[in-house]
Structures are given as C-alpha cells and as structure tokens.
Amino acid sequence: MRLLISLSSILIALALLIPGVTQPVLSLEGKIAKSKLAAAGIEMLADEGDGHTRNILLMTSNLLGLDKLEGEISAYEKTRSIWGTVDELASNQNYLVALLVALFSIVIPTIKLLLQLLYCLLPGNRFKYQLGSTIVAISKWSMVDVFVIALIVTYLAGNANGESGGLITMNAQLGCGFWYFSGYCLFAIAASSLIKPQKPS
C-alpha cells in the first residue's frame, strides 16, 4: 500500500511539473486612462514651449474635452512561464540567474522525482539504501522549488512596475502554471516523506 501511494505521488508530481514549468505562471496587464495619456502628451508638448504656449495648449485641450476622455487602453502585457522566464533571463544576459532558476525549478525536481521512482521499483539492497539516502539529502532542498516560483512572480511584477512610469495601472493575475507547480510541490513533498531508507541486514 505504501509503495502504491509513493508511486502515485511521484507520477502525479511528474505530471504536474511539466505544465507547471511550461504553462504561464503570471500574467501582467497594464492599462492607462485615455485622459491621463492625453494630459501627459500635452504636458510634454507644453514643457518644450514657453508659458504662453503652455496656456494655449491647456486651454485647447480643455475645449476639445481631452481631460474628460473615458476608457482605458492597454499599454503593457506580459505572460510568462518558468521556462519563458529562464529564456528571457538568458536573452538579457543574466546567465547565472537563468541557470539557477532552471537548475532549481526544472533540473533538480525532475532528477529527484526520477530517482524516487527508481527507488520505489528497486528490490531491497545496499544500492537502494544509498539511493534512498541521496534522495533524503536532496529533499532537504524541497523548499527551494517554492522559493524559485516566488522569485519569478516577484521578478515579473517588479519588471512591470519598473516599466509603468507611474501612468500605468498594473493588474497581475496568477496563471495555471503557478497552480500546477504548487501541486507538484505538494505531491513531491508527500512522495519524499514516504521514502524511509532502511539499511540492509
């Protein structure tokens, strides 16, 4: 029964990891009010002229009703998965960060789950004990998975705020990849807790 639960947890975790890495983790959308955009444009034009030009521009914009424009337009839109974030970091020459994110959110989780699967399928012997000890040691880094996803969400949100310039109203929404990855984390932790290596007699 314990073996069946372990195998099920590992297979579910593997199944969740793939969309967790490839599906969108976070979607960011920035909108700007048309009236704010018009006001910013007029301010920029007015700054290049003298006080008289500024007054004429402001008066004309008020007459045309530019300060009373309604509605918003989309000014910023970005959707990223974990893999997409790694690709973007590498494109921006942040190779070390890209490598660390890929290592802790893709490579190590995959290796850990495959080792757990192998452990469950092996008969009891010295190699299985050593493999179990290795898995237990790797499992101590389980919270790194969660930390990496938190970093990605923070990075994307911070990147968006940096580009907003104060005019844009940002709206962030967690994507399905976040929930898949969270599910993977829970099942991976459950699978790790079921592995109790016993020294062969």
Side-chain angles (χ1 to χ4, degrees), residues 23-29 78-82 85 149 152-158 160 171-178:
Q23 294 299 308
V25 172
L26 187 72
S27 294
L28 291 162
E29 186 181 19
K78 186 177 277 192
T79 301
R80 281 287 179 271
S81 62
I82 292 175
T85 304
I149 197 95
I152 289 170
V153 170
T154 306
Y155 165 75
L156 289 171
N171 181 31
Q173 189 171 1
L174 293 172
C176 60
F178 176 85

Side-chain angles (χ1 to χ4, degrees), residues 30-88:
K31 291 188 174 180
I32 184 167
K34 290 178 182 177
S35 57
K36 279 188 179 180
L37 185 61
I42 290 161
E43 282 294 326
M44 286 172 65
L45 288 170
D47 285 345
E48 293 182 8
D50 56 16
H52 182 66
T53 308
R54 181 186 181 86
N55 290 337
I56 291 172
L57 280 169
L58 290 171
M59 190 173 69
T60 306
S61 70
N62 290 339
L63 284 171
L64 293 171
L66 295 179
D67 57 332
K68 292 175 183 158
L69 287 171
E70 293 183 1
E72 295 178 321
I73 56 170
S74 182
Y76 180 91
E77 203 168 336
K78 186 177 277 192
T79 301
R80 281 287 179 271
S81 62
I82 292 175
W83 181 251
T85 304
V86 170
D87 189 45
E88 184 180 343

Side-chain angles (χ1 to χ4, degrees), residues 12-23 83 110 177 180-181 184:
I12 292 169
L14 269 171
L16 290 170
L17 180 61
I18 296 165
V21 167
T22 56
Q23 294 299 308
W83 181 251
T110 304
Y180 280 122
F181 198 85
Y184 144 74

Side-chain angles (χ1 to χ4, degrees), residues 30-33 36-37 39-41 44 75 163-170:
K31 291 188 174 180
I32 184 167
K36 279 188 179 180
L37 185 61
M44 286 172 65
E163 294 184 32
S164 67
L167 286 171
I168 303 173
T169 304
M170 299 304 297

Side-chain angles (χ1 to χ4, degrees), residues 5-19:
I5 294 170
S6 295
L7 282 170
S8 301
S9 298
I10 293 164
L11 292 173
I12 292 169
L14 269 171
L16 290 170
L17 180 61
I18 296 165

